């Protein structure tokens, strides 16, 4: 197997060919893919047309399944959720805010896989913002002010019963299950070192981050808003254009992501798995 890796030329992301993900991968292929993933943060594998079995096998090879709260899985699978929007759907777009998947967990997923099932002919791009670049572009004095801050994360604004995907959210084709469990909070460093590469970067953003430990909300909220603008500045962003049959895998510890619209009148569906938190053993 000879992986061909072509960087996007933007802030992160690479297109990977020369590998058939529908077949089991040997240890060398797994190591090569993981190494490219750590370098480019977002990998797109065109022309794969993976079944759900193959998506699960790939996710297991990359580190195992994460825990996915607040979504019902698709029928017959425990670990695959459908990111779906029907052609005539009127509900607000899912995941249109910058975020990192499930950052409110104690051990959040290291990565996410999205497998194209039904791709609209236009629109529906996914945007990724490189959080190492966002951190490294800050002046040293600003870094010093932020470096030891601890962020408070929660799913409450999205998945609590009164959250944006809560009981008032009607007409959505995705099977989202809001719950009081979304009120829980979890602390993580605002700018951790990546557990595998050691490179520092912002982790998550306003939305799942709901405060800063030891800081009044009147100070923390303007700071988080200012940082959210900075973290998603155009120079840090890669715009991913989907193709039928494509699998994308990203590193939640390195990038923020968000969905975009622009495909009104067309159906869009992707099957999603999360990759478990990394552990050194
Ligand atoms: C997600 O955030 O999981 C979905 C992104 C997308 O639909 O492009």
């Amino acid at each position: 197997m000879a992986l061909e890796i072509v960087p996007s030329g933007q802030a992160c992301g690479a297109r990977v060919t020369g590998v058939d993900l529908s077949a089991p991968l040997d240890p060398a292929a797994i190591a090569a893919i993981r190494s490219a993933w750590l370098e480019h943060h977002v990998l797109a594998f065109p022309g794969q047309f993976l079944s759900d079995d193959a998506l699960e096998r790939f996710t297991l090879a990359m580190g195992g399944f994460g825990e996915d709260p607040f979504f019902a899985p698709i029928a017959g699978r425990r670990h695959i959720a459908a990111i779906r929007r029907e052609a005539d759907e009127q509900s607000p777009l899912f995941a249109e805010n910058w975020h990192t998947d499930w950052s409110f967990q104690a051990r959040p997923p290291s990565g996410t896989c999205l497998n194209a099932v039904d791709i609209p002919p236009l629109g529906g791009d996914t945007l990724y913002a490189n959080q190492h670049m966002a951190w490294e572009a800050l002046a040293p004095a600003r870094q010093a002010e932020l470096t030891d801050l601890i962020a408070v994360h929660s799913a409450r604004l999205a998945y609590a019963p009164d959250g944006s995907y809560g009981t008032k959210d009607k007409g959505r084709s995705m099977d989202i299950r809001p719950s009081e469990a979304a009120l829980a909070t979890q602390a993580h460093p605002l700018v951790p070192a990546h557990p595998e590469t050691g490179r520092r970067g912002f982790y998550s953003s306003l939305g799942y981050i709901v405060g800063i430990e030891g800081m009044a909300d009147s100070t923390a909220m303007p700071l988080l808003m200012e940082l959210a603008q900075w973290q998603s500045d155009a120079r840090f962003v890669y715009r991913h254009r989907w193709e039928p049959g494509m699998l994308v895998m990203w590193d939640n510890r390195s990038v923020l992501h968000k969905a975009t619209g622009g495909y009104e009148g067309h159906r869009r569906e992707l099957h999603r798995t999360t990759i478990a938190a990394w552990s050194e053993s």
Side-chain angles (χ1 to χ4, degrees):
M1 183 210 67
L3 277 190
E4 288 150 41
I5 301 165
V6 179
S8 70
Q10 301 177 42
C12 56
R15 189 175 170 99
V16 182
T17 53
V19 60
D20 176 6
L21 302 182
S22 68
L25 296 170
D26 62 31
I30 293 169
I33 291 170
R34 286 193 100 266
S35 161
W37 180 54
L38 294 176
E39 181 178 351
H40 299 286
H41 317 305
V42 183
L43 298 183
F45 299 86
Q48 297 287 340
F49 296 93
L50 295 187
S51 65
D52 287 331
D53 282 345
L55 172 61
E56 290 187 340
R57 187 170 53 237
F58 179 77
T59 309
L60 286 170
M62 292 301 130
F65 296 119
E67 288 297 320
D68 293 308
F70 311 124
F71 283 167
I74 60 170
R77 306 279 165 170
R78 280 184 51 215
H79 298 289
I80 301 180
I83 307 296
R84 183 190 306 121
R85 188 173 180 82
E86 298 299 345
D88 59 355
E89 194 160 329
Q90 298 299 317
S91 58
L93 270 192
F94 175 72
E96 206 184 3
N97 296 325
W98 288 106
H99 65 286
T100 300
D101 287 330
W102 305 154
S103 70
F104 48 81
Q105 294 181 329
R107 286 180 50 72
S110 57
T112 301
C113 299
L114 264 190
N115 187 34
V117 174
D118 206 355
I119 297 301
L122 75 172
D125 298 348
T126 306
L127 304 186
Y128 296 92
N130 183 331
Q131 296 306 289
H132 301 300
M133 285 178 75
W135 173 247
E136 289 159 7
L138 281 176
R142 186 65 171 141
Q143 288 185 339
E145 289 164 5
L146 301 173
T147 195
D148 292 329
L149 295 181
I150 302 293
V152 179
H153 297 241
S154 169
R156 69 184 182 220
L157 297 174
Y159 296 104
D162 63 354
S164 45
Y165 304 122
T167 47
K168 289 198 289 281
D169 184 45
K170 304 286 185 215
R172 189 175 292 284
S173 59
M174 280 179 60
D175 198 348
I176 297 179
R177 305 285 172 91
S179 120
E180 300 280 344
L183 301 175
T185 59
Q186 180 66 49
H188 295 295
L190 181 69
V191 199
H194 188 291
E196 296 190 70
T197 65
R199 193 172 169 192
R200 294 189 79 163
F202 288 108
Y203 180 63
S204 199
S205 191
L206 181 69
Y208 282 161
I209 299 183
V210 296
I212 302 283
E213 269 190 5
M215 194 182 281
D217 281 353
S218 55
T219 308
M221 285 304 145
L223 170 63
L224 289 168
M225 278 186 249
E226 175 207 319
L227 290 180
Q229 287 290 325
W230 176 262
Q231 289 174 270
S232 58
D233 189 272
R235 81 192 110 148
F236 311 134
V237 171
Y238 159 57
R239 172 175 282 270
H240 176 72
R241 175 81 196 117
W242 285 93
E243 296 170 16
M246 185 175 259
L247 176 82
V248 169
M249 166 199 192
W250 68 84
D251 188 337
N252 282 311
R253 304 156 301 182
S254 297
V255 296
L256 300 176
H257 66 280
K258 77 188 280 277
T260 68
Y263 56 97
E264 293 72 17
H266 299 280
R267 190 174 191 279
R268 182 176 186 266
E269 180 168 343
L270 302 109
H271 281 184
R272 181 176 118 159
T273 56
T274 53
I275 304 171
W278 187 73
S279 107
E280 220 155 337
S281 59

